[in-house]
Amino acid sequence: MLFCDVTGSTALGERLDPESFRQVMRRYFDAARRVIEQHGGTVEKFIGDAVMAVFGVPVLHEDDALRAVRAAAGLREQIAVLNHQLETDFGATVSVRTGVNTGPVVTGTEERLATGDAVNLAARLEQAAAPGEIVIGPQTWALVRDAVGAEPLEPLQLKGKSAPVSAYRLLQVHGDVRPRARVGGAPLVGRGSQLRMLGEAFANLVAERSCGLFTILGMAGVGKSRLAAEFVRGIDATVVTGTCLSYGQGITYWPVVSMAKQLLDPQNGCSGAAGLMARDAKVAAAVNVLVGEQAAVTSPAEIAWAVRKLLESSAELAPVVVVFDDLHWGEPALFDLIEHLADFSRDAPILVLCMARPELLDSRPGWGGGKLNATTLLLEPLQPAETATLIDELVPPGTGIDARVRERVQATAGGNPLFVEEMLALLAESGDADLATPPTITALLAARLDQLAPAERTVLECGSVEGQSFHQGPVQVMAPEERDVPGRLMTLIHKDLVRPDRAVLPGEHAFRFRHLLIRDAAYQALAKADRAQLHERFARWLEERGAGLVELDEITGYHLEQAFGYRCELGPADERARQLAADAAAHLDKAGRRAMDRGDTGAAVSLLERAEALLPQLGLNHPVQQSLIWASRSPAG
């Protein structure tokens, strides 16, 4: 959430003619809307002289917090430009203060306005900011801290908040496209064979003086950029890099512009590119249009041709490696340019190295297929032993993290190096042995799931109610409107979000979330009302179909207990909620008595205490109440 308002607007309105004041505010609102929308945000409403904007609605992105902070900084710069015009036209200037906060909200109402405590806190942060300041909340800081410069403020006493709130004054946004990794210095682990593949492909291109396309696919955090960085560090070549942005307007050629500027920078010593620009006016004209130094009409085909000529001239002196990162966010014209390089470059040792998530194949199904010197590598998560090695490299044994925490990090990360690093970083900063999911990972996974088709997301969310492993049958019951659950599950397997698993229930097909964190992200995306309904549907399915399950009462009782709990969080318990409590208590009571019969006192106590906690919703003479009285008087009780 981003809130900004004009300070001193009352005095400004008193001094200016009403029509002039209206013109000043219109220009301010236009500038705010333009900057916010350029960074992928949505202006929800104008309130007096304030702007309320949201990032992540209606489409969620992993970098929404950074987008909001960039927009706030961009608006501050735009206001400085606007003030020159306002001073000339009206003899007046405006000053804005801004608050940015991150948190869960409810949206989708008729007004589509986001509501929740995160919205209120953003408004309070804005009110606490001084003119010209940008104040960001603690969750926003946790998400953008490696991409911005900021200083902590004294904890703020904000209206409506029972405790002081930590906040930060934004000083600057770094030029990097993405936050820099907080944990670094660890050697590359488990990627020896992939590194050799890259080296061999490059050596062949150099020997043949040809151009090749090498694409590394993998989910976010699996180590694509890390592998590429290790590769280019060990070769003798001219390396130019560019990263595709996930937002903005007119950014089709953003990575190519960056590459062209690197080639033409005299400090980089690429005299071949500079010489071509001096000799060939046609190439120079197209490149100058590309980098914004000349306004003229050109075409994507001319730009692709000129970029190829620029790279080929650079490769006359030394091999060239062209690195495109985050290519899944690229535009069709950029894909065409890359394929043009791979198809038509001749007598020039050029390696076009692309990193992308598997979603690239959704927009470009035939990527690299059938091309000479084209290789696509799917980077899989690390194996358990490799993950353990990475953990040891980042946190050597005996440095304060016990074996159980290490095991939990390894199990939760699922072989994803970024997840390992982020969890260990959060653990080191907080000192809390209770392993929490870092907000960076939560945002990353939530954004990925939000990009799924609605039917796929529905199936995934229903599966998350059962747990990390789930079965097809109950998913169909929880999503009765979805006619092709098997097809949706196959698509989710193709997208590497779930994998087939061994079924616990006879006659069922089972699946397992690729990571526990993916399951948690899918579950957290559900509204509490939906969770209550889905937990109840799953429990009723188990009552009918789970006769062969040894732990039937424990599992059914748990899901009914969850359904009841969520209903109570949303309001007073009604008759249906009380029935859920009674049914949950009956199952937990039955499971508890069975645990007593087998001598498992610890489990019996836990199950019966949970049943007892539901008793306030039941009458004193309810059968479950009487059963618990009996259990408490028995020798085991």
Side-chain angles (χ1 to χ4, degrees):
M1 298 301 306
L2 182 152
F3 272 81
C4 65
D5 75 345
V6 175
T7 60
S9 61
T10 302
L12 183 63
E14 184 179 25
R15 184 167 63 86
L16 290 178
D17 178 84
E19 293 186 19
S20 296
F21 179 68
R22 182 178 181 180
Q23 287 295 319
V24 169
M25 296 307 297
R26 182 184 62 79
R27 292 193 190 182
Y28 153 65
F29 286 138
D30 287 346
R33 182 187 295 277
R34 183 169 58 254
V35 172
I36 287 166
E37 291 180 350
Q38 282 176 348
H39 288 81
T42 301
V43 174
E44 292 229 315
K45 60 181 176 180
F46 298 113
I47 316 165
D49 60 2
V51 178
M52 171 185 173
V54 62
F55 293 76
V57 177
V59 179
L60 192 68
H61 307 90
E62 66 200 59
D63 58 348
D64 280 317
L66 183 55
R67 291 172 183 234
V69 172
R70 286 186 182 277
L75 179 57
R76 183 163 61 183
E77 295 172 359
Q78 188 62 38
I79 291 297
V81 176
L82 177 63
N83 277 335
H84 287 295
Q85 302 170 2
L86 296 179
E87 181 68 40
T88 300
D89 296 343
F90 304 103
T93 59
V94 297
S95 179
V96 299
R97 57 185 181 180
T98 308
V100 181
N101 189 49
T102 304
V105 299
V106 175
T107 187
T109 61
E110 290 183 2
E111 298 83 8
R112 207 190 68 174
L113 296 179
T115 57
D117 184 60
V119 181
N120 300 330
L121 182 54
R124 296 286 182 254
L125 292 173
E126 173 254 303
Q127 293 164 7
E133 278 190 350
I134 301 168
V135 175
I136 62 178
Q139 291 195 36
T140 304
W141 167 247
L143 288 163
V144 306
R145 56 184 299 173
D146 300 308
V148 306
E151 59 184 13
L153 299 171
E154 289 293 325
L156 302 176
Q157 294 286 351
L158 301 177
K159 181 180 178 181
K161 305 300 292 185
S162 58
V165 176
S166 60
Y168 302 82
R169 179 187 295 111
L170 181 71
L171 302 178
Q172 63 175 333
V173 180
H174 300 314
D176 306 289
V177 172
R178 74 182 82 198
R180 298 181 301 278
R182 279 182 285 157
V183 182
L188 190 67
V189 173
R191 304 301 189 201
S193 61
Q194 295 88 347
L195 194 58
R196 286 192 294 273
M197 284 181 63
L198 267 170
E200 290 171 0
F202 177 68
N204 289 336
L205 296 175
V206 172
E208 299 169 359
R209 294 191 61 79
S210 61
C211 180
L213 175 63
F214 197 110
T215 306
I216 305 174
L217 297 178
M219 69 175 294
V222 79
K224 303 182 295 294
S225 299
R226 179 72 176 86
L227 174 62
E230 190 74 15
F231 163 68
V232 299
R233 187 179 297 118
I235 61 173
D236 183 14
T238 298
V239 180
V240 291
T241 62
T243 301
C244 297
L245 296 181
S246 62
Y247 63 92
Q249 298 175 349
I251 56 171
T252 297
Y253 293 111
W254 177 275
V256 183
V257 170
S258 175
M259 293 172 179
K261 290 180 177 179
Q262 293 169 48
L263 289 171
L264 298 174
D265 186 345
Q267 295 183 352
N268 293 333
C270 300
S271 57
L276 178 65
M277 290 283 286
R279 295 192 310 270
D280 194 320
K282 188 177 179 181
V283 170
V287 172
N288 286 332
V289 170
L290 175 68
V291 299
E293 295 182 0
Q294 178 179 321
V297 177
T298 186
S299 67
E302 289 177 333
I303 289 175
W305 170 82
V307 170
R308 173 169 64 86
K309 289 298 182 180
L310 207 62
L311 290 169
E312 289 174 347
S313 64
S314 299
E316 292 175 359
L317 303 177
V320 174
V321 177
V322 186
V323 182
F324 289 93
D325 206 353
D326 286 338
L327 191 61
H328 48 276
W329 282 326
E331 298 291 335
L334 179 63
F335 299 152
D336 292 341
L337 184 150
I338 294 172
E339 292 187 336
H340 174 88
L341 290 177
D343 287 338
F344 295 104
S345 287
R346 295 289 184 271
D347 194 30
I350 302 173
L351 175 63
V352 182
L353 178 57
C354 302
M355 283 90 74
R357 298 176 192 171
E359 296 92 283
L360 170 66
L361 300 182
D362 293 337
S363 56
R364 208 74 166 189
W367 182 257
K371 296 185 183 301
L372 186 65
N373 290 332
T375 303
T376 300
L377 169 66
L378 179 62
L379 202 59
E380 295 281 0
L382 298 176
Q383 295 298 314
E386 295 167 342
T387 305
T389 300
L390 177 61
I391 294 173
D392 288 340
E393 293 289 350
L394 295 171
V395 186
T399 56
I401 300 180
D402 63 35
R404 286 179 297 178
V405 174
R406 288 171 179 270
E407 291 174 1
R408 289 169 57 197
V409 170
Q410 180 166 341
T412 305
N416 187 296
L418 175 65
F419 295 177
V420 172
E421 294 185 6
E422 290 292 319
M423 284 188 282
L424 291 177
L426 181 62
L427 190 63
E429 291 167 5
S430 65
D432 189 353
D434 292 333
L435 195 62
T437 305
T440 47
I441 297 176
T442 300
L444 183 73
L445 294 176
R448 185 182 182 196
L449 300 188
D450 196 62
Q451 294 168 10
L452 295 173
E456 296 165 7
R457 190 165 63 247
T458 295
V459 168
L460 202 68
E461 290 170 351
C462 289
S464 74
V465 172
E466 183 175 352
Q468 187 172 6
S469 292
F470 62 95
H471 295 80
Q472 179 177 305
V475 169
Q476 185 67 74
V477 170
M478 286 186 275
E481 68 287 348
E482 178 51 53
R483 298 179 179 273
D484 188 19
V485 169
R488 305 302 181 195
L489 288 168
M490 290 302 104
T491 301
L492 294 171
I493 290 174
H494 173 71
K495 294 184 176 181
D496 203 28
L497 291 168
V498 301
R499 291 189 174 182
D501 198 16
R502 186 177 64 180
V504 175
L505 300 171
E508 280 292 330
H509 296 290
F511 302 86
R512 184 179 185 85
F513 281 91
R514 187 64 185 81
H515 296 280
L516 176 61
L517 297 176
I518 296 176
R519 180 267 164 190
D520 292 346
Y523 187 76
Q524 291 299 321
L526 288 166
K528 290 182 179 180
D530 293 333
R531 294 182 202 175
Q533 183 182 62
L534 295 176
H535 277 292
E536 182 181 2
R537 286 182 181 177
F538 178 63
R540 300 310 183 195
W541 183 89
L542 274 178
E543 288 175 333
E544 295 180 4
R545 301 287 300 277
L549 192 62
V550 176
E551 305 87 353
L552 175 63
D553 288 305
E554 289 91 329
I555 297 174
T556 305
Y558 165 80
H559 285 281
L560 291 171
E561 182 184 32
Q562 292 296 303
F564 168 73
Y566 282 122
R567 285 186 172 274
C568 289
E569 288 185 28
L570 296 172
D574 56 13
E575 184 58 35
R576 184 174 178 182
R578 285 191 287 272
Q579 185 60 53
L580 287 172
D583 293 347
H587 282 288
L588 294 173
D589 165 58
K590 186 176 179 181
R593 287 188 285 112
R594 190 165 57 247
M596 282 198 300
D597 291 342
R598 65 174 182 263
D600 190 353
T601 306
V605 169
S606 175
L607 290 163
L608 294 174
E609 284 180 345
R610 286 165 56 195
E612 184 183 29
L614 297 167
L615 293 183
Q617 305 299 325
L618 314 177
L620 182 62
N621 294 321
H622 192 281
V624 176
Q625 174 77 298
Q626 297 300 316
S627 175
L628 288 171
I629 292 173
W630 166 83
S632 67
R633 292 174 179 170
S634 70

